[in-house]
């Protein structure tokens, strides 16, 4: 196996731009998007059982996705026995710049894994790394640690303990994301200085090429032999603490260089708290291996810490009963709109053209650093790549253990979803209309629900007809379907969390949706307040932040309780002052409970 210094240094700038649709396809997509609006309107407003109808449609699309995904695997299995002389090789040459002679190319699902994290719990990190030892088709492991201080050494030690042989640790002198930003800005400044129209694509390509060259140079400086019986098979990169996007960018650049050396076509990307199963990588990558238009895929998820608290048990029920279905809506058309960070696979040739635009994303005049999963997916879709959701494959991830952390996570995810769904309308022109339909249902369904609840709260009149039996049918149908078809088989003790999990997820959902829309540009996503020497001031600031992050939930629980009390008061025929007392008492108790499990618990 060649070392970096023995490889060809002529590493050209990446040119694989994707697969843009034809003009006729664009027209059909536009017409499909326009038709999606009345279809969604009539299926919700003019249906006696809109929620039940929605779950039936979702199940049908989920089954169609399962059928198509299995067909992809069968097609790949057949291709293993049919050597190809053209496409796989040509695609590799386009982005790597290798001078290869035409020869039979046997498709395979060999991949390398990149796992990133920051100050992870050492025992959980060790379990995550250990799981890759039995992962099929994983030929190289790359760990990225976002921090190089004394507190970050625990993760390095865990890496060295889990992979004592054929491994090494490299300190990155400067995060490659900062290198890319600097070169990109300099290139565009030179274009303006020379009176040339600013070409962002060219600036992105130049900065990407510089990062690839720098990564190759770092490997050469350490005199590493990549691959082979005695070569490096496990590499740990650590750099100054930035954010998840920063360490992901560095890891992906090194993955491109290492994959070029090893002749690998696919990358599995995950987090430091995620445990993979032996077939997680293989079965996910098999769904894109035979389709050269497929740029990425992701698997389903289960919760591995579900028995820690009541919140984790409820979250596990949500993953089992809701996320499995909702993520499948557009997936059957190859337009899954979010590759989950813990379980994502990429065709490496799709990455060079999107990494710099992804890293330098700006929304509302601010750098975005926490919507890394969705924006990567958006960039793939914008360039015409298919994105697959392998719902029958699982990986195990960690979930927040408290209500306050769970809500903060949901709000962060919702903000990222709004940014990608509402601020990137071009993606719907180049993608199947089902992606647009899924966006309309996801973005406006909970918002309409919030409006209906508040309308009844303030006026006492129903904005839309609500049937209790509609919700009962929906829960029964989705539960029965998941029992029969969900790859994640529940234990007997977990069954009791299914119905509470539905309320746990759907009661806060309208409030999460509205609040995240109103605060899309909020600062400090996922970051904690820095400690101050004035402890009293730090405590006050922490309480203000807690109210900003979670106060909406306290208010919403009061509104929901007020609505329930008003419905019961009308049903019991209470007079107006009895009704008011009932409503006020219910609101007070609910708001106190909401405060107690969120703001009170975090203080």
């Amino acid at each position: 196996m060649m070392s970096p210094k023995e490889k060809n240094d002529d590493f050209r700038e990446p040119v694989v731009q994707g697969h843009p649709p034809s003009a006729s396809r664009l027209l059909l997509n536009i017409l499909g998007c326009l038709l999606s609006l009345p279809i969604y309107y009539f299926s919700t407003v003019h249906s006696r059982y809109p929620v039940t109808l929605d779950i039936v449609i979702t199940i049908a699309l989920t089954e169609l996705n399962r059928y198509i995904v299995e067909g992809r695997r069968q097609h790949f299995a057949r291709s293993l026995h049919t050597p190809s002389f053209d496409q796989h090789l040509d695609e590799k040459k386009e982005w790597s710049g290798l001078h290869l002679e035409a020869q039979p190319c046997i498709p395979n699902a060999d991949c390398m894994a990149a796992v990133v994290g920051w100050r992870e719990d050492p025992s959980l990190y060790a379990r995550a790394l250990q799981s890759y030892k039995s992962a099929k088709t994983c030929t190289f492991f790359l760990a990225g640690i976002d921090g190089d201080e004394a507190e970050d050494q625990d993760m390095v030690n865990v890496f060295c303990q889990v992979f004592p042989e054929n491994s090494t640790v490299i300190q990155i002198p400067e995060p490659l994301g900062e290198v890319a930003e600097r070169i990109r800005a300099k290139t565009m400044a030179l274009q303006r200085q020379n009176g040339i129209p600013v070409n962002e694509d060219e600036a992105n390509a130049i900065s990407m090429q510089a990062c690839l060259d720098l990564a190759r140079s770092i490997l050469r400086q350490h005199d590493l032999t990549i691959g082979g019986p005695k070569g490096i098979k496990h590499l740990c990169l650590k750099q100054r603490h930035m954010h998840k996007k920063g360490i992901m960018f560095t890891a992906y650049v090194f993955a491109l260089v290492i994959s070029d050396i090893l002749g690998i076509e696919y990358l599995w990307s995950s987090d430091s708290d995620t445990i993979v199963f032996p077939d997680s990588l293989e079965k996910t990558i098999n769904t894109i291996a035979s389709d050269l238009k497929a740029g990425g895929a992701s698997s389903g998820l289960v919760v591995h810490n579900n028995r820690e608290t009541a919140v984790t048990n409820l979250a596990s029920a949500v993953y089992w009963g809701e996320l499995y279905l909702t993520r499948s809506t557009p997936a059957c058309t190859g337009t899954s709109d979010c590759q989950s960070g813990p379980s994502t696979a990429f065709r490496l040739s799709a990455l060079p053209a999107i990494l710099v635009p992804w890293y330098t994303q700006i929304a509302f005049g601010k750098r975005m650093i926490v919507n890394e999963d969705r924006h990567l997916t958006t960039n793939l879709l914008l360039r015409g790549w298919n994105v697959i959701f392998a719902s029958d494959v699982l990986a195990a991830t960690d979930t927040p253990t408290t209500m306050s952390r769970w809500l903060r996570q949901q709000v962060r995810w919702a903000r990222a979803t709004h940014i990608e769904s509402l601020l990137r309308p071009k993606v719907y022109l180049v993608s199947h209309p089902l992606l647009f339909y899924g966006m309309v249902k996801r973005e406006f369904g909970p918002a309409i629900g919030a409006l209906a609840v508040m309308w009844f709260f303030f006026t006492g009149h129903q904005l839309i007809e609500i049937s209790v039996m509609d919700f009962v049918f929906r829960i029964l149908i989705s539960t029965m379907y998941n029992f029969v078809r969900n790859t994640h088989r529940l234990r007997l003790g977990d069954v009791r969390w299914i119905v509470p999990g539905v309320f746990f997820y759907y009661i806060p959902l309208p409030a999460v949706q509205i609040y995240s829309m109103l605060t899309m540009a909020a600062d400090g996503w996922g970051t904690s307040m820095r400690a101050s020497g004035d402890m009293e001031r730090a405590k006050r600031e922490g309480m203000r932040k807690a109210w900003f992050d979670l106060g909406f939930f306290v208010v919403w629980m009061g509104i929901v309780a007020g609505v329930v009390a008003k419905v019961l008061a009308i049903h019991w025929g209470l007079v107006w002052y009895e009704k008011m007392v009932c409503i006020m008492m219910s609101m007070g108790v609910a708001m106190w409970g909401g405060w107690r499990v969120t703001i009170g618990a975090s203080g």
Side-chain angles (χ1 to χ4, degrees):
M1 191 65 64
M2 291 186 177
S3 67
K5 60 184 179 182
E6 293 172 312
K7 291 287 288 181
N8 176 23
D9 288 334
D10 182 20
F11 205 69
R12 294 183 300 154
E13 64 185 42
V15 295
V16 177
Q17 297 295 325
H19 307 274
S22 62
S24 59
R25 183 67 204 185
L26 286 173
L27 179 60
L28 289 175
N29 290 343
I30 294 172
L31 292 176
C33 291
L34 294 176
L35 287 173
S36 297
L37 296 174
I39 290 174
Y40 179 71
Y41 174 78
F42 284 108
S43 66
T44 53
V45 177
H46 295 280
S47 172
R48 186 176 181 183
Y49 298 105
V51 179
T52 302
L53 177 61
D54 175 71
I55 195 62
V56 170
I57 294 174
T58 301
I59 288 174
L61 293 174
T62 301
E63 281 300 296
L64 179 58
N65 181 56
R66 289 278 295 266
Y67 175 79
I68 292 173
V69 164
E70 187 56 34
R72 287 175 171 274
R73 292 200 186 100
Q74 293 178 6
H75 185 268
F76 172 70
R78 290 193 297 269
S79 70
L80 291 176
H81 308 289
T82 309
S84 170
F85 286 83
D86 47 16
Q87 289 179 304
H88 283 275
L89 189 61
D90 290 342
E91 184 187 62
K92 180 79 173 178
K93 288 169 67 178
E94 278 188 345
W95 69 266
S96 70
L98 298 178
H99 302 292
L100 303 175
E101 297 178 359
Q103 53 184 319
C105 177
I106 304 296
N108 65 76
D110 290 346
C111 70
M112 63 179 295
V115 176
V116 301
W118 176 58
R119 297 186 184 176
E120 188 60 77
D121 175 72
S123 60
L124 177 55
Y125 189 47
R127 291 175 61 198
L129 298 192
Q130 285 283 359
S131 68
Y132 284 89
K133 288 187 171 182
S134 59
K136 300 175 184 177
T137 72
C138 183
T139 60
F140 192 93
F141 183 87
L142 177 66
I145 299 176
D146 185 35
D148 57 1
E149 299 178 0
E151 294 87 345
D152 304 298
Q153 187 61 34
D154 287 344
M155 291 185 69
V156 177
N157 294 338
V158 168
F159 172 84
C160 295
Q161 291 167 7
V162 175
F163 301 116
E165 300 177 351
N166 301 99
S167 64
T168 192
V169 179
I170 294 179
Q171 169 76 51
I172 305 301
E174 181 181 11
L176 296 188
E178 292 184 349
V179 174
E181 280 189 291
R182 186 174 63 252
I183 295 176
R184 180 177 183 270
K186 183 179 179 180
T187 301
M188 291 192 294
L190 288 174
Q191 290 174 341
R192 296 188 190 96
Q193 182 179 338
N194 296 328
I196 303 173
V198 174
N199 187 331
E200 289 193 14
D201 290 337
E202 181 182 359
N204 292 338
I206 292 173
S207 57
M208 186 69 217
Q209 183 62 49
C211 290
L212 292 168
D213 292 339
L214 180 57
R216 181 178 285 273
S217 173
I218 291 173
L219 293 177
R220 187 186 301 113
Q221 289 170 9
H222 286 77
D223 197 27
L224 299 180
T225 298
I226 304 295
K230 297 182 179 181
I232 297 298
K233 297 181 181 178
H234 315 96
L235 176 62
C236 177
L237 306 174
K238 61 177 184 176
Q239 66 180 28
R240 170 170 46 82
H241 174 59
M242 295 180 65
H243 38 68
K244 184 181 178 183
K245 214 171 193 179
I247 190 61
M248 285 177 66
F249 185 87
T250 297
Y252 287 177
V253 171
F254 272 87
L256 286 167
V257 173
I258 293 170
S259 68
D260 173 42
I261 297 170
L262 298 177
I264 292 173
E265 294 187 52
Y266 308 103
L267 171 69
W268 170 270
S269 177
S270 187
D271 298 335
S272 57
D273 61 0
T274 300
I275 299 169
V276 298
F277 301 110
D279 63 352
S280 297
L281 281 65
E282 179 188 38
K283 293 187 70 175
T284 303
I285 291 171
N286 283 357
T287 63
I288 64 175
S290 63
D291 179 5
L292 294 180
K293 293 185 178 181
S298 62
S299 76
L301 289 170
V302 296
V303 174
H304 62 66
N305 65 328
N306 63 305
R307 299 189 182 277
E308 284 192 31
T309 66
V311 170
T312 59
N313 275 287
L314 291 166
S316 179
V318 171
Y319 274 78
W320 178 80
E322 301 301 326
L323 300 187
Y324 165 75
L325 287 168
T326 55
R327 289 187 58 199
S328 297
T329 299
C332 60
T333 61
T335 54
S336 177
D337 59 357
C338 181
Q339 295 172 276
S340 297
S343 57
T344 293
F346 295 101
R347 184 180 295 277
L348 280 159
S349 57
L351 287 181
I354 70 172
L355 282 185
V356 176
W358 163 72
Y359 185 78
T360 57
Q361 180 196 16
I362 294 178
F364 302 108
K366 300 178 180 180
R367 281 288 310 281
M368 295 290 103
I369 61 172
V370 298
N371 60 331
E372 63 282 338
D373 306 335
R374 280 196 174 272
H375 194 52
L376 267 175
T377 308
T378 300
N379 274 281
L380 288 175
L381 293 173
L382 282 170
R383 287 161 177 79
W385 292 99
N386 290 333
V387 180
I388 312 302
F389 175 47
S391 59
D392 58 342
V393 187
L394 298 175
T397 190
D398 195 73
T399 195
T401 57
T402 65
M403 190 67 181
S404 59
R405 292 180 180 177
W406 166 264
L407 286 172
R408 283 186 169 109
Q409 182 192 69
Q410 297 302 302
V411 171
R412 291 198 304 272
W413 286 356
R415 286 170 177 158
T417 301
H418 300 325
I419 289 173
E420 298 304 316
S421 300
L422 304 177
L423 304 185
R424 300 288 185 274
K426 183 182 176 183
V427 72
Y428 305 114
L429 301 181
V430 299
S431 303
H432 193 281
L434 199 56
L435 178 67
F436 181 78
Y437 177 82
M439 180 276 294
V440 171
K441 186 173 74 168
R442 180 186 62 242
E443 290 293 308
F444 299 108
I448 293 172
L451 180 62
V453 169
M454 289 187 287
W455 183 266
F456 183 82
F457 178 78
F458 288 110
T459 69
H461 300 290
Q462 282 188 299
L463 185 64
I464 55 176
E465 293 292 329
I466 298 176
S467 168
V468 175
M469 291 306 300
D470 190 16
F471 289 99
V472 172
F473 289 151
R474 194 264 184 210
I475 294 173
L476 289 175
I477 292 173
S478 63
T479 301
M480 288 189 295
Y481 172 77
N482 275 292
F483 270 121
V484 174
R485 291 291 288 162
N486 198 320
T487 311
H488 177 207
R489 300 300 179 184
L490 289 184
R491 298 178 183 178
L492 185 61
D494 297 328
V495 175
R496 69 179 186 271
W497 297 100
I498 294 175
V499 175
V502 173
F503 291 97
F504 172 75
Y505 180 67
Y506 279 106
I507 288 178
L509 181 61
V512 168
Q513 190 80 347
I514 295 296
Y515 183 70
S516 57
M517 279 186 178
L518 296 175
T519 59
M520 273 195 287
D523 291 317
W525 291 2
T527 59
S528 58
M529 184 191 66
R530 293 182 179 271
S532 170
D534 183 352
M535 297 302 294
E536 196 61 35
R537 176 176 173 272
K539 186 176 181 179
R540 287 197 305 270
E541 290 180 358
M543 188 57 65
R544 280 198 295 268
K545 185 178 188 305
W547 272 105
F548 177 78
D549 290 344
L550 304 168
F552 77 93
F553 176 73
V554 177
V555 175
W556 176 250
M557 291 306 297
I559 293 174
V560 171
V563 167
V564 174
K566 182 176 287 190
V567 170
L568 293 177
I570 293 173
H571 178 72
W572 291 332
L574 301 183
V575 297
W576 71 268
Y577 60 87
E578 293 175 329
K579 186 187 300 182
M580 289 301 299
V581 171
C582 181
I583 292 172
M584 295 303 294
M585 289 182 63
S586 299
M587 290 182 64
V589 172
M591 292 180 72
W592 178 85
W595 174 87
R596 185 71 181 83
V597 299
T598 54
I599 298 172
S602 40

